[in-house]
Amino acid sequence: MSRVAVITGGAGGLGQALAHQLLKEDWRVVLMDLPGALQVLKLESERVERVACDLTDEAAVASVCAGISTRHPALDLVIHNAGVTQIGLFDETTLASQRLVMEINYFGSVRVAAGLLKAVRAGKGTHLAVSSVAGFAPLYKRTAYAASKHALNGFFSSLASEEARHGVRVLIAAPSFVATNPGRLDAGEDGIGRPGAATDGFDEMSPEQAAGIILDGWRRGKDFIPVGRVASLGWRINRLSPRLYNWLMMRKIQP
């Protein structure tokens, strides 16, 4: 019987790369994303399910998760990958845009975790949250994004202590710059745009590279997975000297 994984943001570059690698190992994957994104998804397999859902719609998420749990009462893996970026100085953003980033990046994952909690427990599976370097350290021109990822880290690291007694693992992956949408930021006036399309990124990796590191870290039993050279160095430097990390980050990113 195939193992089952649910991937939010499944039509994005990293979501597809994760799905491709799991499909090679005979997994069944359930890809959750916005309806428009799923329409252009080029991933054909009888072991792929497409589920349209707006993660900011609480009732829709609850309904979709109930349907997934009915079809798959025991889940092996849920990858909380959906998210957006927001690039811009704080004094150029609005509180409404800050709230929207939190709704998608943080509360979207919380809603999915709540909706699939029992199915993951039944499968003694794993919640895998895709966070960011911005989840453990500051990142220039990304106040809302960093806040949402810090919240994500706090939620899932705390959930780990609660779900361990159910045989459930909870882990966090923290990529640096993954080129999932190069040249396709498509940001609105509020600065919210596609992840993986930042023009100020450096030492970027491909979605396939990032997916490989994430899944390898999960298989090896890691609770926290820095994804890529920048993430690994950033994690170590920030723990050793936050001031040094901030100086290096500003030197690389600030115009």
Side-chain angles (χ1 to χ4, degrees):
M1 186 174 181
S2 295
R3 291 170 292 178
V4 181
V6 176
I7 305 174
T8 67
L14 182 55
Q16 289 191 60
L18 289 162
H20 272 295
Q21 295 200 25
L22 292 173
L23 286 169
K24 289 178 182 177
E25 301 171 16
D26 293 327
W27 282 66
R28 178 174 291 277
V29 295
V30 181
L31 304 180
M32 294 177 63
D33 214 314
L34 294 169
L38 289 171
Q39 286 178 0
V40 298
L41 176 62
K42 296 178 181 179
L43 191 62
E44 298 297 333
S45 172
E46 62 181 14
R47 287 181 285 111
V48 173
E49 297 178 32
R50 294 168 172 78
V51 178
C53 187
D54 181 345
L55 297 189
T56 67
D57 186 331
E58 188 169 342
V61 174
S63 176
V64 161
C65 288
I68 292 172
S69 299
T70 298
R71 296 190 301 277
H72 308 288
L75 291 172
D76 299 281
L77 178 63
V78 177
I79 303 179
H80 302 270
N81 171 65
V84 294
T85 191
Q86 184 188 40
I87 303 175
L89 297 170
F90 175 62
D91 66 4
E92 297 173 351
T93 65
T94 64
L95 291 180
S97 68
Q98 294 263 335
R99 186 174 294 111
L100 179 58
V101 173
M102 289 294 293
E103 281 290 336
I104 298 169
N105 291 3
Y106 173 66
F107 285 108
S109 292
V110 172
R111 293 181 184 110
V112 172
L116 299 179
L117 198 69
K118 291 182 179 179
V120 177
R121 286 177 178 177
K124 296 191 183 303
T126 299
H127 290 278
L128 197 169
V130 178
S131 181
S132 166
V133 169
F136 62 77
L139 196 57
Y140 182 69
K141 294 179 73 174
R142 289 164 174 80
T143 52
Y145 181 74
S148 69
K149 294 299 187 177
H150 271 71
L152 197 72
N153 283 17
F155 172 78
F156 280 103
S157 60
S158 299
L159 184 66
S161 61
E162 298 180 15
E163 291 302 293
R165 64 193 178 99
H166 298 286
V168 171
R169 288 180 59 203
V170 181
L171 58 142
I172 297 167
S176 48
F177 294 99
V178 183
T180 52
N181 289 290
R184 298 176 61 236
L185 181 63
D186 295 340
E189 292 183 4
D190 54 13
I192 297 176
R194 300 174 188 267
T199 57
D200 58 359
F202 57 94
D203 199 31
E204 294 176 323
M205 71 183 75
S206 71
E208 291 74 22
Q209 288 173 309
I213 294 169
I214 291 169
L215 294 176
D216 181 64
W218 162 63
R219 293 187 188 98
R220 292 167 59 188
K222 290 187 176 182
D223 296 322
F224 180 77
I225 308 166
V227 182
R229 187 176 68 92
V230 171
S232 297
L233 287 172
W235 171 248
R236 294 187 182 95
I237 293 170
N238 189 61
R239 294 183 71 186
L240 177 67
S241 174
R243 181 177 293 182
L244 175 60
Y245 169 87
N246 196 63
W247 180 79
L248 291 169
M249 180 270 295
M250 293 294 285
R251 193 175 163 209
K252 281 286 188 181
I253 295 180
Q254 187 179 26

